[in-house]
Amino acid sequence: MTKEDHIKYWVTTSKNDWKRAESLLKLKDYAFALFCLHLSIEKLAKALWIKEHGTDYPPRIHILITLFSQTSFKANDDQLLLMNELNFFQMEGRYPEHAKKIHRIAGAAYTKDLFVKTKELKLCALKMLR
């Protein structure tokens, strides 16, 4: 695979995860929707990381701030707070002991608001990948 193929893989799977998050929102599965939202942004960060580094394999980490900080992406304070907030939800699919706390937080209004904020972050990352 070429570097472009690797980047395309991460962007395509990010778009799929975004669509999955939207479907889960409609199904009112808010906690897993937020997990998929985080996953979508994580994959865009990894695509950008590949674009800007000499290797086609990004770090195997899930912390958005760390991934984006290793690229030329210049996050503003609101984006940094959002990345930190989204990281909490990456636990949903990986660490079930956090599920109770996540399900308490992830209500309809909260989840919809996070979707709006995250869409702006997604668009910024996609712009850098063009």
Side-chain angles (χ1 to χ4, degrees):
M1 288 175 59
T2 66
K3 180 178 270 313
E4 291 74 27
D5 290 334
H6 284 276
I7 294 168
K8 184 178 178 181
Y9 164 80
W10 289 104
V11 171
T12 298
T13 58
S14 169
K15 289 177 182 178
N16 292 341
D17 290 329
W18 187 273
K19 288 177 189 172
R20 185 174 296 112
E22 290 175 325
S23 295
L24 290 164
L25 178 63
K26 289 176 188 170
L27 293 171
K28 299 180 182 181
D29 188 350
Y30 303 122
F32 205 63
L34 291 168
F35 170 76
C36 290
L37 205 61
H38 172 278
L39 191 58
S40 177
I41 299 302
E42 178 185 328
K43 289 178 178 181
L44 290 178
K46 289 181 176 183
L48 185 58
W49 193 97
I50 290 169
K51 180 180 178 185
E52 296 182 357
H53 288 80
T55 178
D56 295 334
Y57 300 98
R60 292 183 180 209
I61 59 174
H62 312 294
I63 303 168
L64 298 177
I65 291 173
T66 302
L67 286 166
F68 277 112
S69 72
Q70 294 176 7
T71 72
S72 62
F73 189 93
K74 300 295 180 215
N76 62 38
D77 289 343
D78 289 337
Q79 289 169 327
L80 290 170
L81 288 171
L82 176 62
M83 288 179 203
N84 191 50
E85 190 171 2
L86 286 171
N87 267 323
F88 180 72
F89 298 103
Q90 64 98 3
M91 304 273 205
E92 167 63 14
R94 295 183 174 97
Y95 306 104
E97 65 269 19
H98 296 281
K100 188 180 265 187
K101 186 186 268 188
I102 289 171
H103 285 273
R104 225 177 318 125
I105 294 169
Y110 176 85
T111 303
K112 289 175 185 175
D113 182 57
L114 213 53
F115 261 82
V116 171
K117 292 175 184 174
T118 304
K119 185 174 184 180
E120 294 174 27
L121 178 61
K122 176 182 88 163
L123 294 174
C124 289
L126 284 170
K127 186 176 181 181
M128 291 188 71
L129 286 162
R130 292 188 183 116

